[in-house]
Amino acid sequence: MKKIVKIKTLTSVHIGSGEVLQIGSDFVKGKMGNNYVLAVVSPEKVLDLIGEEHLQDWVVAIERKESTGNVVKRFAPNAKVEDYAKRIVLEWSEAHERDTLKEHIHNGQGKPYIPGSSIKGAIRTAILASLAENVNDAERKIDVSANGKKKANANKVEKELFGSDPNNDVFRFLQVGDAYFGECYTVSLRMVNINERTSKIFWDKSKSQMIEALPSEDITRFEMKLNVEGYNKSKEKWSTIGDLPNIMSSYESLFEAINNHTIRLLDFELEYWKERSDRDDSDKVECYLEKIESIKNEAQNCGKGKECVLRIGHGSGWNFITGGWARDLDNFESLVVPVSRPNNQNYSEYDFPKTRRVDDVCELLGFVKLSLQE
C-alpha cells in the first residue's frame, strides 16, 4: 500500500545538482526589501533588459570578471535584481569576491527538491548498518580495489543482505517519490570544518565552501510504497530474489529501524566529541555537541513506528554516509581507513574520521524528520 510521508527539514539540507556557480557571472549579490540575497542570473532576462545589441559588451565584461549586475546597471539603470534573476537565494552566509556556490538541485519548473533516490539511498544505508553485524566474516568481504581505484566498498555485504544483483535486490520493492519544496526559498550557507588538530583550535575555516540549501523548518510531502505483497509474489516465482529483512516487513518496523540507526550514530558523535571538548579553545565542539543532543532528543521523541529522523545529503559526514558499521570490523584501521582518508600516513595519530562539516555559525546539515500520514 502506498503511503504519504511528511518530511520536515530539522536542519538545512543540500542535495547538489552538480553545478558550481561563479559569483559575478552565474549569480550576483543584491537586496530585496530588507533581505540580502543572491540572485541566480537568467541569461534570457538579462538580454531582455540590456538588448541583444549589447550581448558582446556582456561577454567582454564576463571575460574581465566584471559582475553581470554592473552590466545591467549600465544599460538598464532602473532594473532591480529580481528583474533578471532565475531565482533568489537568501544570503544567510555572506558571499565574498571569487566565491563559488554549489547549486541545490531543482526540477524543470525551478522548484528545489530532495530526490526520492537520495531518500531511498539514505534508508538503504540505515538498513545495511542495522543488519551488517549478522554478516559472517564481513572483514573478508570488504573490497578496496573496485574499478581499479583504492576505495572501500561493501558490495559483497550488500549482495548477501539484499540480493545478488539489481534485478534480485529487495530494495526494488521500496519505491520513494521526490519531495518538492516549492512554496519556500533556498538559502546560502558557508560550510567549514570542526577539525581535530593538536597545534590549532578545532574551528577550521581554511577550506570554506558556499552552498545553496533548503532551510530548516521547511515541510512538504512525498509518496512511499513498501510493496511487501509484490515481494512475496515475486519470491514465489523467482527464488533468486534476496530475502526480505524483518525490519522491512512493514512501514512501522522500517521507520523504527531508521530511527534507531540515527540514534546510534548520534550517540557515537556525543561520545567521540565529549572526549575532545576540553582540548578545543574555540568552544565550537561544545556548540556541536549541543546541536547533536538536540537532534537526538528529536529522534527519541519520535512516535514509535510512525516517525523517524534520517540524515541525508551534503555535510552528513563519513559515519552517516556509510552507516558507520565498518568501525566494528577487525580490519577497520588496517584496511578501511587507509583507502578512505587521503594522505592517511600524515594523520596516523588521529582517529578516523577527525573532521565534521558544519556551517559558519556551527549549524548542522542534512537532518530530516519523516512522519507517516494516515
Side-chain angles (χ1 to χ4, degrees), residues 116-131 157-176 224-228 231 241-249 254 257-258 310:
S117 58
S118 297
I119 300 171
K120 183 175 177 177
I123 292 174
R124 183 185 180 95
T125 296
I127 301 306
L128 171 63
S130 302
L131 299 175
V157 174
E158 289 193 52
K159 288 179 179 180
E160 182 172 328
L161 290 173
F162 303 139
S164 58
D165 56 57
N167 289 329
N168 292 296
D169 194 304
V170 296
F171 269 85
R172 285 179 52 200
F173 301 94
L174 177 64
Q175 296 149 16
V176 183
M224 176 186 288
K225 184 175 182 180
L226 180 59
N227 191 1
V228 177
Y231 167 80
I241 291 177
D243 295 328
L244 190 72
N246 288 334
I247 56 178
M248 291 182 66
S249 62
L254 178 65
I258 294 168
L310 181 69

Side-chain angles (χ1 to χ4, degrees), residues 90-108:
L90 289 188
E91 193 179 18
W92 279 15
S93 293
E94 184 181 359
H96 302 142
E97 187 179 355
R98 295 189 296 276
D99 262 331
T100 58
L101 181 71
K102 287 189 174 182
E103 183 183 54
H104 186 91
I105 192 169
H106 292 71
N107 71 354

Side-chain angles (χ1 to χ4, degrees), residues 139-317:
E139 286 81 1
R140 293 178 57 190
K141 295 168 184 174
I142 301 299
D143 190 359
V144 296
S145 59
N147 300 320
K149 296 181 179 180
K150 292 291 184 179
K151 184 178 180 180
N153 74 76
N155 290 342
K156 293 178 182 178
V157 174
E158 289 193 52
K159 288 179 179 180
E160 182 172 328
L161 290 173
F162 303 139
S164 58
D165 56 57
N167 289 329
N168 292 296
D169 194 304
V170 296
F171 269 85
R172 285 179 52 200
F173 301 94
L174 177 64
Q175 296 149 16
V176 183
D178 298 332
Y180 293 100
F181 293 81
E183 303 303 320
C184 205
Y185 48 85
T186 57
V187 300
S188 69
L189 302 174
R190 183 174 296 279
M191 301 302 294
V192 299
N193 287 326
I194 294 177
N195 185 4
E196 183 183 355
R197 300 181 286 189
T198 56
S199 59
K200 301 178 183 178
I201 61 173
F202 285 18
W203 190 238
D204 182 4
K205 300 171 72 174
S206 64
K207 298 179 178 65
S208 69
Q209 170 67 58
M210 293 287 291
I211 65 168
E212 178 189 9
L214 295 165
S216 59
E217 303 297 317
D218 204 353
I219 295 174
T220 190
R221 287 163 175 78
F222 66 92
E223 293 183 345
M224 176 186 288
K225 184 175 182 180
L226 180 59
N227 191 1
V228 177
E229 182 180 353
Y231 167 80
N232 290 331
K233 290 180 179 178
S234 297
K235 186 67 173 177
E236 290 178 4
K237 191 172 182 180
W238 295 288
S239 60
T240 55
I241 291 177
D243 295 328
L244 190 72
N246 288 334
I247 56 178
M248 291 182 66
S249 62
S250 68
Y251 289 100
E252 289 73 21
S253 58
L254 178 65
F255 272 47
E256 186 176 356
I258 294 168
N259 206 52
N260 289 340
H261 165 73
T262 300
I263 291 172
R264 283 196 299 271
L265 289 183
L266 292 170
D267 281 337
F268 173 81
E269 289 293 287
L270 290 170
E271 179 181 357
Y272 184 92
W273 288 102
K274 281 178 180 178
E275 294 176 358
R276 290 153 176 80
S277 60
D278 61 350
R279 295 195 283 111
D280 175 39
D281 294 334
S282 71
D283 294 328
K284 296 300 183 180
V285 171
E286 285 293 341
C287 178
Y288 180 77
L289 286 168
E290 290 175 6
K291 305 295 184 182
I292 291 292
E293 193 70 63
S294 175
I295 297 296
K296 180 183 175 182
N297 288 338
E298 186 77 43
Q300 288 179 321
N301 289 326
C302 281
K304 187 175 181 181
K306 298 293 184 182
E307 300 174 321
C308 65
V309 172
L310 181 69
R311 198 173 196 186
I312 186 172
H314 176 81
S316 297

Side-chain angles (χ1 to χ4, degrees), residues 29-99:
K29 292 165 65 74
K31 194 172 182 181
M32 290 178 59
N34 295 322
N35 294 317
Y36 289 96
V37 301
L38 304 179
V40 179
V41 171
S42 166
E44 295 81 6
K45 291 182 179 180
V46 170
L47 282 177
D48 285 343
L49 287 170
I50 69 174
E52 291 190 10
E53 65 272 20
H54 295 299
L55 173 59
Q56 187 58 35
D57 297 281
W58 184 23
V59 172
V60 171
I62 291 175
E63 291 174 348
R64 293 175 177 173
K65 300 192 183 304
E66 182 182 355
S67 173
T68 293
N70 293 339
V71 176
V72 173
K73 286 180 182 178
R74 190 183 313 153
F75 300 109
N78 295 324
K80 298 178 181 179
V81 69
E82 56 265 39
D83 293 335
Y84 58 95
K86 179 163 58 176
R87 66 175 183 278
I88 296 296
V89 181
L90 289 188
E91 193 179 18
W92 279 15
S93 293
E94 184 181 359
H96 302 142
E97 187 179 355
R98 295 189 296 276
D99 262 331

Side-chain angles (χ1 to χ4, degrees), residues 324-358:
W325 59 273
R327 290 196 316 268
D328 297 327
L329 299 177
D330 292 338
N331 58 355
F332 177 65
E333 294 291 341
S334 61
L335 182 70
V336 177
V337 172
V339 298
S340 300
R341 176 159 59 187
N343 302 314
N344 181 60
Q345 67 277 5
N346 298 331
Y347 305 102
S348 57
E349 63 186 294
Y350 299 103
D351 288 335
F352 173 81
K354 74 182 189 72
T355 61
R356 300 298 188 271
R357 206 79 164 136
V358 293

